[in-house]
C-alpha cells in the first residue's frame, strides 16, 4: 500500500536527471520532426535560417531552451511528479496543456488526441501525477515494484 510520501520517494528514484533528459530529447525529436513535416507541407523548409538550425541542434544536445516553452513545462511537470515543487493548480494546468497541445493537437482540431500509449511513458506518468495527484500513479508504481522483483 502506497502513501503519498512513499510514492514521491519512489518517483524521485525513477525520475533521475538522466531519465528526464532522455525524455526531453525524445520529445524534442518528435516536435522537431513534426515541425519539419509542416514546413515541407508549406513548401517552406528553406525558411529555417542557419542560425536557427544551429540553435535547435544545441537545444537537442543539451535539452535546455531559455524562456517559457515546452521543455520548461516538462521540467515543471517532472518536478511536481518528484514531489519537489509546490503545486499551483492554474500554472500546472498551463504546463500540462502546453505538453498536450505540442504533442497531440492535430491541425484543425480543438482538443488534443492523446494516445493510450502516452500514459506509459515517463512524461505521461508525470502529467498524470501533476494533473490528478500522486495517487493516480499507485498502480503504475505497483507494476514498477513487481518488475524490480522479477
Amino acid at each position: 500500500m502506497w502513501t503519498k510520501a512513499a510514492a514521491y520517494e519512489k518517483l524521485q528514484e525513477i525520475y533521475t536527471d538522466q531519465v528526464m533528459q532522455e525524455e526531453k530529447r525524445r520529445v524534442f525529436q518528435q516536435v522537431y520532426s513534426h515541425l519539419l513535416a509542416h514546413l515541407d507541407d508549406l513548401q517552406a523548409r528553406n525558411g529555417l535560417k542557419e542560425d536557427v538550425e544551429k540553435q535547435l541542434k544545441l537545444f537537442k544536445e543539451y535539452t535546455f531552451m531559455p524562456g517559457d516553452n515546452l521543455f520548461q513545462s516538462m521540467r515543471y511537470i517532472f518536478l511536481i511528479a518528484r514531489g519537489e515543487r509546490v503545486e499551483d493548480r492554474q500554472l500546472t494546468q498551463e504546463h500540462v496543456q502546453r505538453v498536450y497541445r505540442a504533442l497531440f493537437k492535430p491541425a484543425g482540431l480543438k482538443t488534443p488526441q492523446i494516445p493510450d500509449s502516452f500514459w506509459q511513458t515517463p512524461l505521461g506518468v508525470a502529467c498524470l501525477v501533476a494533473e490528478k495527484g500522486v495517487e493516480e500513479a499507485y498502480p503504475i508504481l505497483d507494476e514498477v515494484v513487481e518488475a524490480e522483483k522479477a
Side-chain angles (χ1 to χ4, degrees):
M1 194 59 133
W2 292 98
T3 64
K4 281 186 176 186
Y8 279 126
E9 187 177 313
K10 187 65 177 173
L11 287 168
Q12 286 172 5
E13 181 184 311
I14 293 168
Y15 287 128
T16 63
D17 288 344
Q18 181 180 352
V19 166
M20 291 187 294
Q21 281 188 332
E22 287 171 4
E23 191 69 349
K24 283 182 181 180
R25 283 188 185 99
R26 183 185 70 78
V27 167
F28 179 91
Q29 192 59 51
Q30 269 185 296
V31 172
Y32 185 68
S33 296
H34 190 78
L35 167 69
L36 294 179
H38 280 298
L39 287 174
D40 284 344
D41 291 341
L42 298 170
Q43 293 295 308
R45 168 90 60 126
N46 294 335
L48 276 183
K49 294 183 179 178
E50 189 176 324
D51 58 332
V52 171
E53 290 210 32
K54 285 181 186 176
Q55 193 174 19
L56 286 172
K57 285 180 184 177
L58 285 175
F59 293 159
K60 180 181 180 183
E61 185 175 341
Y62 295 106
T63 66
F64 176 77
M65 289 181 171
D68 192 22
N69 58 60
L70 173 62
F71 302 100
Q72 295 301 321
S73 290
M74 288 176 65
R75 183 176 190 285
Y76 180 94
I77 291 165
F78 279 128
L79 290 177
I80 286 178
R82 287 170 45 153
E84 295 177 7
R85 171 158 269 185
V86 176
E87 197 173 342
D88 170 326
R89 294 302 308 152
Q90 182 178 346
L91 185 58
T92 299
Q93 265 312 312
E94 289 171 16
H95 285 296
V96 169
Q97 290 307 313
R98 177 180 286 145
V99 168
Y100 296 162
R101 183 179 60 248
L103 297 178
F104 305 114
K105 187 176 176 204
L109 294 182
K110 290 186 179 195
T111 58
Q113 306 296 307
I114 303 170
D116 290 339
S117 60
F118 174 69
W119 306 112
Q120 300 302 314
T121 68
L123 181 58
V125 174
C127 285
L128 188 67
V129 171
E131 218 175 3
K132 297 184 179 181
V134 72
E135 299 85 356
E136 293 294 316
Y138 291 177
I140 295 163
L141 294 174
D142 287 338
E143 291 176 24
V144 169
V145 168
E146 284 300 314
E148 289 174 345
K149 288 179 183 177

